[in-house]
Amino acid sequence: MSITKVLKQLGLNAKDLKGGDLIARSPIDGRVMAKVKSDSKASAVKKIARSAEAFSAWRAMPAPQRGELIRLFGEELRAHKEALGALVSHEVGKIVQEGLGEVQEMIDICDFAVGLSRQLYGLTVASERPGHRMMETWHPLGVVGVISAFNFPVAVWSWNTAIAIVCGNSVVWKPSDKNPLTALACQKIFEKAAKRFGNAPKGLLEVLIGGREIGEVLVDDKRVALVSATGSTRMGREVGPRVAARFGRSLLELGGNNAMIVCPSADLELAVRAITFSAVGTAGQRCTTLRRVIVHESIKDKLLPRLKKIYGNLPIGNPLNGKTLVGPLIDEASFNRMQSSLKVAEEQGGKITGGQRVKVKDCEGGFYVQPAIAEMPGQTEIVREETFAPILYVVTYKKFEDALALQNDVPQGLSSCIFTQDLREAETFLSAQGSDCGIANVNIGPSGAEIGGAFGGEKETGGGRESGSDAWRAYMRRATNTINYSDSLPLAQGIKFDVG
Ligand code: NAD
């Protein structure tokens, strides 16, 4: 679908797309798609104020009714799936299937949130005092600030928003300045749902357009009860302490350095397929991208030639072409970072295959690369860093304990997996002595999570959890209530404090 048609179908008009200061460029060919107006600090503060007002009204709406708004939003997303998916491809260079997949993920989380809107359960607690009842109630939290990364321009925002809204919060979204168009399109789609819903307060979803200085407004504003920030560890290092300094809450979803352990008993066919999807899909630009293969030394020579053959035949090109599997990097800076990491890897003893720029017809302004495989003498410093590009480091191991140690010996802790048919290895990997990541899989690659589970990771990945399971609790505040229905006033712990 052409960009003009896509923008029209999504209701973005000339006013949204012309004359602004923020240039929306397509990574497909470097073409300027639009010039969008960014927010000033003053307009950002105004939007946060509007959001705080919306919160005051929205928190009083019964949760199942809040769920109805998200149900309608899910319906609108179904109706706009193709156009929004195409816009994701145009704006961040994802292949068609992955663009559509992102929107499907949005639809899935809406369905999940609708069900959740009737299940925001609290516990009842046994009181130690006669004639007393204790319980927990969950209440809306406030304005939820969502800061998102370029590589999941819509799905990650929707994980936060669908849950935050059914939990009774308002949302202020600061998307990456590399994808203002998908954000504006999502806002239009949300507004359609809100119009059908009828009485959603104005300002329930505000969008702030701009870079980190606009994100900082959100980070520093005391009215923003929770800042859910997705992006690099560098960003998290800045955002986390700033939010904490004002006693706000933050939910951090940061960089990963995800590994696969391939054991001697592994089904190599499955492993190769999983490696390929996880390492080269999204051109290596997923937080869960496979970056390290830790393979048993006895099977390296079976695995690597097979992998290199597949790498040699990858369809790299325009992501709008249905046959393409590897689209462009987001921009030139990303390409340069990849090249410098490969150079360092070589200096650290790596043997590199691939990594060079690939020219794509009619897309000369885009940065396409041949995904790289770097055979390393060990887990050197560069292997322990996240380079947000398709570089797959391969190291070998002798003993299973060594493989586990290598898997965990990186600063990040997002996703991990093991390919084995040995029950002991699989269960050890999942146990307390096993993978230290937020996601640990067996015979499945590290990327492509379902929305039903809680998503996030440990260590420098930030510790946040969002999406499914009980991640909703981060978007609410818990109150512990004790009710005395007796005619006396016993104190806890049996304390005597008699007056008169
Ligand atoms: P980035 O850190 O450059 O930017 C992310 C967002 O943070 C953008 O919206 C940016 O404007 C904003 N930002 C940056 N500094 C800020 C500050 N000081 N205050 C407020 N806002 C600030 O990341 P990116 O290049 O867009 O995305 C790639 C990174 O994101 C990778 O490291 C990837 O692993 C990570 N990521 C993590 C997850 C996850 O769930 N763990 C998901 C997607 C991406």
Side-chain angles (χ1 to χ4, degrees), residues 397-412:
Y397 76 92
K398 279 190 178 53
K399 287 199 303 216
F400 182 64
E401 306 78 73
D402 300 339
L404 269 182
L406 283 169
Q407 136 68 33
N408 290 340
D409 185 24
V410 290
Q412 313 81 355

Side-chain angles (χ1 to χ4, degrees), residues 183-407:
L184 293 174
C186 287
Q187 190 178 28
K188 297 259 182 212
I189 296 171
F190 186 85
E191 278 166 5
K192 280 189 182 177
K195 197 165 169 209
R196 283 172 64 197
F197 181 76
N199 55 344
K202 241 178 132 62
L204 192 57
L205 169 66
E206 294 286 349
V207 176
L208 304 181
I209 299 293
R212 67 192 271 182
E213 57 309 326
I214 292 303
E216 281 166 5
V217 178
L218 203 54
V219 166
D220 291 337
D221 197 307
K222 279 192 167 172
R223 289 168 296 191
V224 180
L226 170 70
V227 176
S228 173
T230 301
S232 58
T233 293
R234 178 204 58 75
M235 177 276 284
R237 254 189 243 291
E238 291 163 8
V239 168
R242 273 173 89 147
V243 177
R246 62 170 175 84
F247 294 100
R249 290 190 195 176
S250 60
L251 191 168
L252 300 176
E253 296 281 354
L254 311 174
N257 191 353
N258 318 295
M260 176 190 292
I261 299 177
V262 187
C263 301
S265 68
D267 179 331
L268 279 191
E269 243 353 88
L270 282 193
V272 164
R273 280 170 54 193
I275 291 172
T276 314
F277 172 71
S278 313
V280 310
T282 329
Q285 300 169 109
R286 281 191 187 216
C287 51
T288 51
T289 288
L290 178 65
R291 309 205 176 276
R292 299 178 291 140
V293 165
I294 303 165
V295 58
H296 192 267
E297 58 178 12
S298 66
I299 52 166
K300 181 186 168 196
D301 291 340
K302 275 196 202 150
L303 181 76
L304 263 188
R306 178 96 181 82
L307 208 54
K308 283 184 185 170
K309 194 165 168 218
I310 291 179
Y311 265 56
N313 291 316
L314 287 171
I316 302 166
N318 187 330
L320 299 173
N321 174 344
K323 294 210 169 88
T324 297
L325 291 183
V326 183
L329 293 176
I330 189 69
D331 54 21
E332 184 173 7
S334 171
F335 173 75
N336 290 339
R337 279 194 293 272
M338 177 177 180
Q339 297 310 306
S340 68
S341 291
L342 286 174
K343 194 160 163 275
V344 175
E346 211 160 22
E347 286 162 10
Q348 294 180 359
K351 194 179 130 216
I352 317 290
T353 314
Q356 67 279 18
R357 190 162 175 194
V358 173
K359 289 277 172 210
V360 173
K361 194 168 167 284
D362 298 330
C363 297
E364 282 72 20
F367 285 84
Y368 296 80
V369 288
Q370 173 65 45
I373 296 177
E375 292 161 68
M376 302 301 291
Q379 193 152 274
T380 64
E381 270 314 298
I382 192 70
V383 182
R384 300 175 76 250
E385 281 175 25
E386 180 198 51
T387 301
F388 213 55
I391 303 175
L392 182 65
Y393 297 107
V394 179
V395 295
T396 56
Y397 76 92
K398 279 190 178 53
K399 287 199 303 216
F400 182 64
E401 306 78 73
D402 300 339
L404 269 182
L406 283 169
Q407 136 68 33

Side-chain angles (χ1 to χ4, degrees), residues 67-286:
E68 172 61 9
L69 170 58
I70 295 302
R71 193 188 67 76
L72 294 170
F73 182 45
E75 272 189 7
E76 292 296 335
L77 286 169
R78 282 174 170 88
H80 294 87
K81 180 174 173 181
E82 216 184 312
L84 187 57
L87 184 56
V88 168
S89 297
H90 280 284
E91 200 172 32
V92 302
K94 289 197 174 188
I95 61 170
V96 176
Q97 279 300 310
E98 291 191 60
L100 291 172
E102 263 214 52
V103 185
Q104 186 57 47
E105 214 170 316
M106 301 173 81
I107 294 168
D108 294 344
I109 198 72
C110 284
D111 288 354
F112 181 91
V114 174
L116 185 64
S117 70
R118 290 183 183 268
Q119 298 175 77
L120 301 170
Y121 303 133
L123 297 172
T124 54
V125 182
S127 171
E128 65 191 42
R129 289 170 280 189
H132 283 58
R133 184 165 69 82
M134 282 177 78
M135 63 180 184
E136 285 182 346
T137 42
W138 290 86
H139 300 294
L141 193 60
V143 176
V144 171
V146 180
I147 295 175
S148 58
F150 81 83
N151 67 317
F152 270 95
V154 292
V156 168
W157 163 72
S158 73
W159 293 356
N160 283 282
T161 300
I163 305 287
I165 296 278
V166 299
C167 289
N169 306 298
S170 57
V171 172
V172 182
W173 178 20
K174 209 298 283 170
S176 163
D177 49 2
K178 291 173 186 157
N179 64 272
L181 298 180
T182 38
L184 293 174
C186 287
Q187 190 178 28
K188 297 259 182 212
I189 296 171
F190 186 85
E191 278 166 5
K192 280 189 182 177
K195 197 165 169 209
R196 283 172 64 197
F197 181 76
N199 55 344
K202 241 178 132 62
L204 192 57
L205 169 66
E206 294 286 349
V207 176
L208 304 181
I209 299 293
R212 67 192 271 182
E213 57 309 326
I214 292 303
E216 281 166 5
V217 178
L218 203 54
V219 166
D220 291 337
D221 197 307
K222 279 192 167 172
R223 289 168 296 191
V224 180
L226 170 70
V227 176
S228 173
T230 301
S232 58
T233 293
R234 178 204 58 75
M235 177 276 284
R237 254 189 243 291
E238 291 163 8
V239 168
R242 273 173 89 147
V243 177
R246 62 170 175 84
F247 294 100
R249 290 190 195 176
S250 60
L251 191 168
L252 300 176
E253 296 281 354
L254 311 174
N257 191 353
N258 318 295
M260 176 190 292
I261 299 177
V262 187
C263 301
S265 68
D267 179 331
L268 279 191
E269 243 353 88
L270 282 193
V272 164
R273 280 170 54 193
I275 291 172
T276 314
F277 172 71
S278 313
V280 310
T282 329
Q285 300 169 109
R286 281 191 187 216

